[in-house]
Each structure stands twice: as C-alpha cells, then as structure tokens.
Amino acid sequence: MAERLQILNEDSINSKPSFESKYTWYKTEDVFHKASMIGSGLINLKLVSLTEDNYKFCGFYAQNSLNYILCDIACILYGITVVPIYDTLWETATQFAFNQTKMTTCFVTSKHLPKIIAAKKTLNNFSYLKTIVILDPQNTEVS
C-alpha cells in the first residue's frame, strides 16, 4: 500500500507550452483523476457508442499535447479504442476508419479542425461523427 501511495505522489507527466517556458510536472494521482473525469464524461454523456461487436471507438486527429495524453489515458481507463487519424492517411484511409468503426466522437487540435469539418460536410462516410472535441480551444478562431 505504501508503495502505491508513493507512486501516486510522484511526477509522471510534464508539459511545456512553449519553447521559452519551463516544464510543468503533474503527479500520477492528478493525471489519473483528470483522465478518470474525462473518461466518465465520455461514457455518461454518451459521446462514445457501443458497436454491434461491443467495441467503443474514439478518433484522435491531433498533435501531441498534455490534453491529448489525458484523453488517451481516459480512453484506456474506460476501454475505448483510440483510432488515430494522420495527415498522411487522409481521404481514403480516414473515410474507411470512420466508416468501419462508426465512431461518433473525434478529438482534434485547432490546426486539424477545418479539415475534419470540411470532410464532415462533403463526405457521406462521416455520417456517424456527431461530436468534435477541440483539445486546444485557446488556439481556435471561429469564422
């Protein structure tokens, strides 16, 4: 038990928002708590649906960041399979991934938001996508 408590109090993840800034460290207990809250929200708000085969999927079209890691851990904690979306795999592979998994939620960074919205508007294979979660809303300009 003492060993577990020691691990919970240790620094586990760091974040550096800009090149000039210093690293900020987060304790394992805080990371676990935040990820648990995110995962609980995904399930309780029904942002992730169960497929006919009893799988849960969630898309990630984002750059690595603290929020990305927290959401990824949340998915792991709640048995949600993460489906990574890459710029190099766009159109055909991305359409296939969305169609195959029937995922209803995708985490994105503001850089990728216009592309996912354009695809949702123009491609029929994104019909299951209902929720887009922006991981860095402070960088998003709504037009």
Side-chain angles (χ1 to χ4, degrees):
M1 180 72 160
E3 197 173 286
R4 182 178 178 271
L5 291 176
Q6 181 181 354
I7 291 171
L8 289 176
N9 288 321
E10 290 181 5
D11 292 335
S12 61
I13 293 178
N14 65 48
S15 174
K16 187 175 179 181
S18 68
F19 185 73
E20 298 82 24
S21 64
K22 293 184 178 185
Y23 283 101
T24 302
W25 285 91
Y26 299 91
K27 299 208 177 296
T28 303
E29 182 176 25
D30 297 332
V31 170
F32 179 77
H33 177 73
K34 287 179 183 184
S36 295
M37 298 300 286
I38 294 166
S40 176
L42 287 171
I43 299 300
N44 290 312
L45 294 172
K46 298 181 180 10
L47 297 179
V48 179
S49 43
L50 205 58
T51 65
E52 301 91 29
D53 300 334
N54 290 324
Y55 291 106
K56 296 175 275 189
F57 295 101
C58 190
F60 277 71
Y61 186 32
Q63 294 172 297
N64 291 339
S65 67
L66 177 62
N67 288 338
Y68 180 107
I69 292 169
L70 290 172
C71 293
D72 187 39
I73 293 170
C75 289
I76 293 166
L77 290 173
Y78 282 82
I80 301 165
T81 302
V82 171
V83 179
I85 309 297
Y86 299 102
D87 288 326
T88 56
L89 298 177
W90 197 241
E91 296 242 351
T92 306
T94 302
Q95 287 178 32
F96 179 80
F98 273 88
N99 218 14
Q100 186 77 16
T101 62
K102 299 178 182 171
M103 64 183 147
T104 56
T105 299
C106 188
F107 290 97
V108 302
T109 45
S110 57
K111 171 185 171 184
H112 299 99
L113 184 60
K115 198 166 188 179
I116 201 87
I117 289 174
K120 172 82 172 136
K121 286 181 180 178
T122 60
L123 303 172
N124 294 333
N125 292 334
F126 286 72
S127 60
Y128 295 100
L129 181 62
K130 305 292 183 217
T131 306
I132 298 172
V133 180
I134 303 169
L135 294 173
D136 59 345
Q138 68 279 8
N139 295 329
T140 306
E141 287 185 28
V142 179
S143 54

